[in-house]
């Protein structure tokens, strides 16, 4: 199916609003020995957590937040190693398990804010775009569909194109797309917003803001 693609804007952000729920903040306050989070004003929870976190050594605080978010997927040793590496590198951009990079970004930025920059400052991109079929019915697109359709407008230097050249340009499965795109939202199945790492898509990656693309039916891997 043929699509008209328009990339309207890319916002570069330090945090994704709404990622940490009030329940998350209250649970984390408890883990940082502040038991009164449940009775505090909801609007004060982020500030209270920042103060509670800053009473701990940075790598110790990182271990606590990582355990809360990824304790079921990572071993104690892995969490300890990541907590130390986070103070030096943007682990959220380099971690080989792509499906964890989004969570690592949110953890990193929570700690970056609490420690006024002791952790590296990673960034996310919020891409605002539209994808309208020119020869068929409107349908809701998946992360895989979206990346394949964006391919024609991205520079050859783009990291996704360099690492997943075949998956993004051919009608073969691209399962990593679900991990590369952290959030994908639409109200009308034409205008979309996606959230990903600046490392995956940034403003410099866009060579065309309006272009046509073809979405082919993906052939099942034999």
């Amino acid at each position: 199916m043929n699509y008209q693609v328009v990339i309207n804007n890319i916002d570069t952000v330090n945090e994704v609003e709404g990622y940490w729920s009030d329940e998350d903040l209250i649970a984390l306050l408890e883990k940082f020995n502040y038991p009164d989070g449940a009775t505090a004003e909801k609007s004060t929870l982020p500030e209270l957590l920042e103060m509670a976190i800053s009473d701990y050594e940075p790598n110790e605080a990182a271990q606590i937040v990582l355990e809360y978010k990824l304790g079921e997927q990572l071993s104690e040793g892995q969490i300890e190693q990541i907590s130390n590496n986070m103070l030096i590198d943007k682990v959220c951009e380099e971690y080989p398990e792509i499906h964890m990079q989004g969570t690592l970004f949110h953890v990193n930025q929570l700690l970056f804010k609490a420690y006024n920059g002791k952790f590296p400052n990673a960034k996310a991109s919020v891409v605002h775009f539209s994808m309208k079929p020119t020869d068929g019915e409107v349908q809701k697109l998946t992360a895989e569909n979206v990346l394949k359709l964006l391919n024609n407008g991205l520079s050859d230097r783009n990291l996704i194109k360099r690492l997943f050249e075949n998956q993004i340009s051919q009608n073969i499965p691209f399962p990593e797309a679900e991990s590369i795109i952290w959030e994908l939202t639409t109200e009308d199945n034409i205008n979309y917003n996606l959230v990903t790492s600046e490392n995956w898509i940034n403003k410099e990656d866009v060579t065309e803001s309006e272009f046509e693309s073809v979405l082919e039916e993906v052939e099942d891997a034999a």
Side-chain angles (χ1 to χ4, degrees), residues 14-197:
N14 292 315
E15 62 180 315
V16 178
E17 286 185 27
Y19 176 79
W20 298 101
S21 67
D22 290 342
E23 290 74 19
D24 284 328
L25 299 177
I26 291 166
L28 282 168
L29 277 166
E30 206 163 293
K31 290 184 179 296
F32 282 98
N33 285 321
Y34 186 94
D36 302 325
T39 56
E41 284 286 327
K42 295 285 191 290
S43 61
T44 66
L45 290 173
E47 191 179 345
L48 288 172
L49 181 58
E50 282 180 36
M51 289 192 294
I53 286 175
S54 63
D55 285 340
Y56 288 71
E57 288 297 316
N59 64 324
E60 190 182 2
Q63 284 187 44
I64 293 170
V65 184
L66 286 166
E67 171 64 36
Y68 173 72
K69 287 302 296 182
L70 292 168
E72 293 182 3
Q73 298 178 61
L74 296 170
S75 68
E76 197 174 319
Q78 287 173 314
I79 287 174
E80 186 177 350
Q81 184 178 14
I82 292 171
S83 69
N84 289 323
N85 290 346
M86 283 179 81
L87 282 158
I88 310 159
D89 297 315
K90 295 181 184 179
V91 176
C92 57
E93 294 181 1
E94 299 165 3
Y95 202 68
E97 299 287 346
I98 295 175
H99 69 278
M100 292 188 196
Q101 289 184 359
T103 304
L104 289 169
F105 167 82
H106 297 298
V107 170
N108 186 90
Q109 292 311 101
L110 182 73
L111 296 164
F112 170 80
K113 209 170 172 186
Y115 287 100
N116 293 317
K118 282 188 181 177
F119 289 80
N121 185 20
K123 293 179 180 177
S125 292
V126 183
V127 187
H128 309 277
F129 61 98
S130 65
M131 293 181 164
K132 190 172 184 178
T134 57
D135 60 354
E137 291 184 10
V138 172
Q139 60 182 359
K140 189 169 186 179
L141 299 170
T142 64
E144 177 182 76
N145 298 154
V146 165
L147 289 184
K148 286 175 182 285
L149 286 170
L150 285 175
N151 180 47
N152 285 352
L154 297 177
S155 159
D156 289 338
R157 295 188 305 275
N158 171 260
L159 184 62
I160 304 170
K161 291 182 76 161
R162 286 192 281 125
L163 292 182
F164 302 103
E165 181 185 358
N166 291 336
Q167 292 92 327
I168 201 173
S169 63
Q170 299 176 22
N171 58 331
I172 59 174
F174 188 5
E176 295 86 358
E178 295 287 344
S179 299
I180 290 170
I181 294 182
W182 302 342
E183 291 179 27
L184 180 64
T185 55
T186 180
E187 292 185 358
D188 58 9
N189 296 339
I190 294 175
N191 297 286
Y192 288 82
N193 297 315
L194 74 78
V195 181
T196 187
S197 169

Side-chain angles (χ1 to χ4, degrees), residues 7 151-157 161 203-211:
I7 300 175
N151 180 47
N152 285 352
L154 297 177
S155 159
D156 289 338
R157 295 188 305 275
K161 291 182 76 161
K203 292 177 182 178
E204 287 70 38
D205 286 331
V206 177
T207 55
E208 300 285 342
S209 58
E210 294 189 31
F211 52 93

